[in-house]
Amino acid sequence: MKRRAVEKKKAVRGKSDIPLIVVTGLIVAFGVLMVYSASSYTAKRLYGSEYHFVYKQLVGIALGAVALFLMSRLDYHILHKLRYVILGLSIVLLAIVFIPGVGITNYGARRWINTPFFTIQASEVSKFGFIIFAAAYIGSREDKIMTFRGILPVVGVGGAICALIILEPNMSVTICMALLMIVMLFLGGAKIKHLLMIILPLIAAAVVLIIIEPYRFARLMAFIDPWESPLEEGYQLIQSYYGLGAGGFFGVGLFNSRQKYSFLPFAESDFIFSVIGEELGMLGCLVLIAAYIFLIRRALKAALTAPDRFGSLLCSGVAAIIAIQVLVNIAVVTGSIPPTGLPLPLISSGSSGIIVFMSGIGIVNSVKRRSHESAELMFTRRAVRKKREEKGGKRIARKKLQRLKSGSSPV
């Protein structure tokens, strides 16, 4: 008993992942800079202050920083105990969106909940609520997840969340949720044939949803040839092309974007990557992508060293949602997939997204702080051993070279 208590104490007193937190902070700070650059003209014209979106972003960052700190200090196993409460809250928030006077409608979609201080985008919360539920379920049912019946609860919950999100309507987050569900099941050990039995109906459902809604079908046609409707459905994608094309490799310079002057819609949110490409060029885009890859890698490393399957799946889920959202956003902005609205994690304007993603980073850090010392040591020793082998190989090669120069036998 005493030995277990000592081991638990050592695990709890683990160090935070400082590189993970620092890079998260740098991305968030960069996001504030780019939100100001992309929104200053629109904010001044519509709200009378060029800092309107920046103020909202800073409020989200302040709350997100508190959430990151609290989640880092919290034992992540508490999330396992509260999984049904968190999941239920996520679903309730998605349902509240449809209550008149509470849910806010913008651009024909009802996606936000109005509060006295700020608005909440329920779909952002639901993604992390699903990650916690799926990690808890899959982590405690290692054998059942290998059967089709065993994955049905995860599919059922994921399907219910997708159904509520598509009713808003929000096709982009629905696709994001569906991909997250597949990734979580795959990481949990579900069989490929069972995953195909889910993926194929999802693809068929996506096709039906596109066909039955004229605006979605129009967007698909605009993706195929945006210049067919340059002032309607194809307008946003064409303006994104102009921004990225004008940026070249080094960009036109910070704050010098021309597309933000009411040419590019949603420049501060869904299409902020286009402004980044215009002002900082391909070089700036590559640096940002490298920062995201670093975050994902740190989360996956925390997953590998986690004390249990629940912690491992939590970190993997956070890594997956960051990767999915980054890939989808960049693919949309560059015209690689049909246009759909999805914010860039930790960068795009929006308090809800900032708070939940920083909470996710806090969860990863919580798992890292409670990782087994033996697992951390394993990776450290492996790196040290590799360096020693490399140094030893170089030393032997130098000795052989010296013997050859001196004319003596290398053996």
Side-chain angles (χ1 to χ4, degrees), residues 54-321:
V54 173
Y55 290 149
K56 293 175 67 176
Q57 193 80 346
L58 290 174
V59 170
I61 290 171
L63 295 174
V66 173
L68 191 155
F69 175 78
L70 292 177
M71 296 307 299
S72 295
R73 305 300 298 179
L74 183 74
D75 186 349
Y76 70 91
H77 293 101
I78 294 176
L79 299 176
H80 190 285
K81 297 177 182 178
L82 298 176
R83 61 192 183 279
Y84 294 118
V85 176
I86 296 170
L87 177 64
L89 180 62
S90 302
I91 294 175
V92 168
L93 288 175
L94 286 173
I96 289 176
V97 167
F98 301 102
I99 298 176
V102 179
I104 301 174
T105 302
N106 279 328
Y107 304 102
R110 191 180 288 270
R111 302 173 184 174
W112 298 269
I113 298 172
N114 191 22
T115 68
F117 304 103
F118 53 85
T119 57
I120 300 173
Q121 190 169 358
S123 57
E124 293 289 343
V125 180
S126 67
K127 287 181 287 190
F128 284 85
F130 175 77
I131 289 173
I132 293 168
F133 165 78
Y137 177 85
I138 297 171
S140 58
R141 292 169 176 81
E142 190 171 355
D143 297 330
K144 289 185 179 180
I145 209 68
M146 300 292 289
T147 65
F148 185 72
R149 182 179 294 180
I151 67 175
L152 288 180
V154 178
V155 175
V157 170
I161 293 175
C162 286
L164 287 169
I165 294 174
I166 197 64
L167 289 174
E168 294 179 351
N170 196 333
M171 185 75 172
S172 56
V173 179
T174 304
I175 293 172
C176 189
M177 269 297 308
L179 290 173
L180 177 63
M181 179 179 67
I182 297 300
V183 171
M184 290 294 289
L185 288 171
F186 175 76
L187 294 174
K191 293 182 178 179
I192 299 297
K193 64 178 181 180
H194 295 156
L195 293 178
L196 289 175
M197 294 170 67
I198 301 169
I199 294 171
L200 295 177
L202 285 175
I203 294 173
V207 172
V208 171
L209 288 170
I210 291 172
I211 293 174
I212 63 176
E213 283 290 350
Y215 80 91
R216 290 189 188 126
F217 187 74
R219 283 186 177 183
L220 179 61
M221 293 299 101
F223 162 70
I224 295 172
D225 186 8
W227 281 272
E228 187 70 25
S229 55
L231 298 178
E232 296 177 2
E233 285 79 10
Y235 176 80
Q236 191 173 27
L237 185 55
I238 290 173
Q239 297 304 317
S240 179
Y241 286 157
Y242 286 157
L244 293 171
F249 189 79
F250 293 105
V252 298
L254 190 62
F255 307 133
N256 291 330
S257 168
R258 291 182 289 272
Q259 293 306 106
K260 66 182 180 183
Y261 292 104
S262 297
F263 292 106
L264 180 63
F266 306 108
E268 76 284 349
S269 54
D270 298 341
F271 275 75
I272 196 169
F273 190 78
S274 181
V275 177
I276 295 171
E278 183 183 5
E279 294 190 348
L280 303 178
M282 182 182 288
L283 181 62
C285 292
L286 291 175
V287 171
L288 179 59
I289 291 170
Y292 279 125
I293 291 173
F294 182 85
L295 282 189
I296 294 165
R297 182 178 177 275
R298 299 300 295 188
L300 292 176
K301 182 178 179 181
L304 290 172
T305 60
D308 48 42
R309 273 173 60 84
F310 175 60
S312 179
L313 288 167
L314 273 179
C315 294
S316 300
V318 173
I321 193 61

Side-chain angles (χ1 to χ4, degrees), residues 22-83:
V22 169
V23 173
T24 299
L26 291 175
I27 293 175
V28 167
F30 175 71
V32 174
L33 190 68
M34 294 313 304
V35 165
Y36 168 74
S37 178
S39 68
S40 56
Y41 173 78
T42 304
K44 181 72 173 178
R45 183 170 58 86
L46 296 179
Y47 303 101
S49 172
E50 59 184 340
Y51 300 105
H52 174 79
F53 290 101
V54 173
Y55 290 149
K56 293 175 67 176
Q57 193 80 346
L58 290 174
V59 170
I61 290 171
L63 295 174
V66 173
L68 191 155
F69 175 78
L70 292 177
M71 296 307 299
S72 295
R73 305 300 298 179
L74 183 74
D75 186 349
Y76 70 91
H77 293 101
I78 294 176
L79 299 176
H80 190 285
K81 297 177 182 178
L82 298 176
R83 61 192 183 279

